[in-house]
Amino acid sequence: MLNTKQKTLRRFWYAIMPMEHLADGPKPFTLLGEKIVLFLDGEGKPAALEDRCCHRTAKLSTGWCKDGNIVCGYHGWEYDRTGKLVMVPQFPERQAVPNARTRGFHAQERYGQVWVALDDPIADIPDVPEDVDAGFRRIPQFYEHWKTSPFRLMENSFDAAHIAFVHRNTFGDINDPVPEQYKIEETAEGFTASVRQEVVNPAHAQKITGEPAGKTMRNMVNKWYVPFYRRLDIEYPSGLRHIIFNCATPIDDGNMQLTQILFRNDTEEDCPAADLVAWDEAIVREDKDMLECTDPEVVLDLKMRTELHMVTDRPGMIMRKRLLQVFHDNGEEEYVEGAAPVLAAE
Ligand code: FES
Ligand SMILES: [Fe+2]
């Protein structure tokens, strides 16, 4: 699958950037290979347009906002939040503005982020009920560029076998390579993978987990939503919940944007947000280094046999099957470029 060729992927919402990045003016982003500009309209709501002025093609993201419109920095032409050209400052008062526009995209705010869908969306942004639950706080953890594809991040998030190796210096145990199996239930939006796992709670993690150091059990409910969202709900025996929500946003065929937001049912006094970011950061770094050395192109069609699989890869295999089905349901085939089958030894 090449992300930029699969039209169906244009019909999902993606987290683009934290809302506060737009406070001081328009910002550019590349989504599925499309250069877009984001800005705030007169009501403070996010808007997304093609980052190209219809006068001399200048990037609108180098301009500024005025009364809820975006102004091109080259000759001052103004566009409203839908992309319609509304003002040409060089024209005399009685001369009508040409009937023209730059392309507009769907945009909205959710969980403190700007979300964009390039074409009419076929699914909502996954609901995180804790966002409106007064017992929980929301902590933005990561907003960063990774040189890999969103599918690789998604399947890694459900790959129990990498932990003993990739995370051998944090929480993995390289002498215990056979992981606990997830119980997987497919859902309308993706699947739910659950596991109850024995882990070691290190002394420095006591504030994070609310538990004493030593061996402990924890329940993990890890949900995948088509195409590139994930919600990991970790429940510690202390009653503390550590809920990670990710959106892996496709920038182009080899790059993605990781957005990670944490929800916790404790307070800043119980455990400072900075400690929670630092705790998850060590783990995320290890995944990033490994994923950036994989091939960003993932072939969904298992019949092509471009990769081998093992039992612990079942979540990733279900993802391939479901995503391919969504493409087919939307009248699209998978686009494959250059991927070759795995060689036989003899
Ligand atoms: S290029 Fe935008 S106003 Fe001229
Ligand atoms: Fe990992």
Side-chain angles (χ1 to χ4, degrees), residues 1 33 80 260 278-279 310-311 330:
M1 152 179 69
D80 71 10
Q260 180 159 313
W279 169 255
M310 56 182 172
V311 169
N330 286 276

Side-chain angles (χ1 to χ4, degrees), residues 223-264:
K223 288 188 182 191
W224 171 64
Y225 304 81
V226 172
F228 308 132
Y229 320 103
R230 170 256 193 154
R231 172 201 159 104
L232 170 63
D233 185 344
I234 304 173
E235 186 177 2
Y236 303 110
S238 61
L240 263 182
R241 303 260 300 282
H242 191 89
I243 301 172
I244 287 170
F245 180 71
N246 292 121
C247 176
T249 299
I251 292 174
D252 56 27
D253 292 320
N255 296 278
M256 55 154 271
Q257 175 73 48
L258 169 74
T259 299
Q260 180 159 313
I261 306 165
L262 175 67
F263 297 87
R264 294 264 303 190

Side-chain angles (χ1 to χ4, degrees), residues 156 162 167 287:
N156 175 260
H162 83 283
H167 302 299
D287 286 317

Side-chain angles (χ1 to χ4, degrees), residues 275-295:
D275 291 5
L276 290 161
V277 171
W279 169 255
D280 282 322
E281 179 147 32
I283 299 162
V284 162
R285 285 296 141 255
E286 291 169 334
D287 286 317
K288 180 173 188 272
D289 289 347
M290 185 50 62
L291 291 177
E292 289 191 339
C293 79
T294 63
D295 183 344

